Amino acid sequence: MSTGQTTRLEARLRSVFGFKSLPFTKDLEPERIFRTDVFHQAIDRLRYLVDRQGIGALFGAPGTGKSTLLRSFLSSLGKSSHAVCYVTHTTCATLDLYREIARGFQIEPRYRKADVLRELKERILKLSRVQKLRAVLVIDEAHLLPRSFLDELRLLTSFDEDGRDDLTLILAGHPQLESNLRLAVNEALAQRIVIRIRLRSLHPEEVESYLALRLELAGRTAKLFLPDAVEAMARAARGIPRVIDRIAEHSLLLALRHKKNEIDAEIITEAIDEVDP
């Protein structure tokens, strides 16, 4: 589809359904994110972790909002009081991981692992004890980390023979991360995790509220999805926000094609066939 055709389709969606913007895109500001009780509890626990310092782990199935939650949380940390390194590329070699972390903490890394690790620890100590900043390292997609690197992270977070914590480490990933942490080789690291957070999918009643919020943010307050459509979508998407977004977006296009002003279960079923979640 050409850019011109896409623009025309967007304009038709806005005109027919009363949108000021497209409702199911990814580019939401952190303060406009749908927040469940689980979301609020997770934010509170992450704040507690950063305040006390230590190691935490965040587990969530694909599409349940793990990275969205992290983005919202990190945006709330004051730049004058925190030094944050956020890493998402986790499939590279151990040395490359260390070098990426070093760059995140404003270090031009060297080429030997021992040198990079030493400079990293010196940098974290300076941030914590001299500049009085809270150093926070967030590793997203941590389920993809080499298993040996998880144990090395324990060394990175050890200062003064474990007498105090100068770095907050947050590991975030799919449930596989939790399985990896149960391995004997990672037992020493797992024992040091002080906060474990598990995200869940949305309950059926939350799906309706989620859709209503997304529509409201796009400029529409009138109901668009009929109750049977919401039920069908919640069941097919298993409450996973990312899948809900995909089904909802396809259902809008189908409703436009069929010249319908409301979306029922029949349209949702057709959208599900297109999305194949």
Side-chain angles (χ1 to χ4, degrees), residues 124-144:
I124 291 167
L125 284 173
K126 182 178 179 180
L127 288 169
S128 174
R129 304 186 186 185
V130 179
Q131 298 179 233
K132 305 302 181 183
L133 297 176
R134 295 192 180 276
V136 182
L137 170 59
V138 180
I139 303 182
D140 204 351
E141 306 300 326
H143 58 283
L144 299 175

Side-chain angles (χ1 to χ4, degrees), residues 50 52-54 83 105 120-130 132-137 156-169 192:
V50 170
R52 80 174 295 284
Q53 297 185 296
F105 282 119
L120 254 177
K121 298 190 75 164
E122 289 173 353
R123 172 66 170 162
I124 291 167
L125 284 173
K126 182 178 179 180
L127 288 169
S128 174
R129 304 186 186 185
V130 179
K132 305 302 181 183
L133 297 176
R134 295 192 180 276
V136 182
L137 170 59
L156 179 61
T157 59
S158 299
F159 297 90
D160 290 350
E161 298 180 351
D162 280 347
R164 61 180 287 183
D165 290 305
D166 289 280
L167 172 69
T168 296
L169 169 64
R192 296 185 62 198

Side-chain angles (χ1 to χ4, degrees), residues 32-60:
R32 293 158 69 88
I33 293 168
F34 182 70
R35 296 168 184 262
T36 63
D37 288 341
V38 171
F39 185 98
H40 285 295
Q41 291 170 15
I43 292 289
D44 286 344
R45 290 195 172 198
L46 288 174
R47 285 176 180 150
Y48 170 78
L49 177 69
V50 170
D51 287 342
R52 80 174 295 284
Q53 297 185 296
I55 303 175
L58 171 66
F59 312 110

Side-chain angles (χ1 to χ4, degrees), residues 76-215:
S76 71
L77 299 181
K79 293 183 179 179
S80 62
S81 54
H82 298 80
V84 177
C85 171
Y86 179 64
V87 174
T88 58
H89 183 43
T90 55
T91 57
C92 51
T94 295
L95 176 57
D96 293 325
L97 283 164
Y98 274 128
R99 289 170 60 82
E100 186 169 354
I101 294 169
R103 292 189 187 97
F105 282 119
Q106 310 303 313
I107 300 171
E108 185 54 44
R110 301 196 183 193
Y111 292 94
R112 293 177 63 248
K113 187 176 75 173
D115 293 333
V116 179
L117 183 57
R118 185 188 70 256
E119 289 186 335
L120 254 177
K121 298 190 75 164
E122 289 173 353
R123 172 66 170 162
I124 291 167
L125 284 173
K126 182 178 179 180
L127 288 169
S128 174
R129 304 186 186 185
V130 179
Q131 298 179 233
K132 305 302 181 183
L133 297 176
R134 295 192 180 276
V136 182
L137 170 59
V138 180
I139 303 182
D140 204 351
E141 306 300 326
H143 58 283
L144 299 175
L145 286 171
R147 291 178 180 176
S148 60
F149 187 70
L150 286 172
D151 191 54
E152 298 222 9
L153 283 173
R154 178 179 58 85
L155 302 178
L156 179 61
T157 59
S158 299
F159 297 90
D160 290 350
E161 298 180 351
D162 280 347
R164 61 180 287 183
D165 290 305
D166 289 280
L167 172 69
T168 296
L169 169 64
I170 301 172
L171 298 171
H174 297 172
Q176 180 61 41
L177 171 61
E178 194 163 15
S179 299
N180 292 344
L181 289 169
R182 292 195 186 103
L183 297 175
V185 68
N186 296 320
E187 183 178 358
L189 175 65
Q191 288 179 358
R192 296 185 62 198
I193 295 176
V194 296
I195 293 291
R196 294 173 184 257
I197 302 168
R198 296 173 182 85
L199 298 184
R200 60 162 173 79
S201 56
L202 300 179
H203 292 317
E205 61 272 17
E206 292 173 330
V207 172
E208 183 174 10
S209 299
Y210 174 81
L211 290 169
L213 175 66
R214 297 304 296 263
L215 293 175

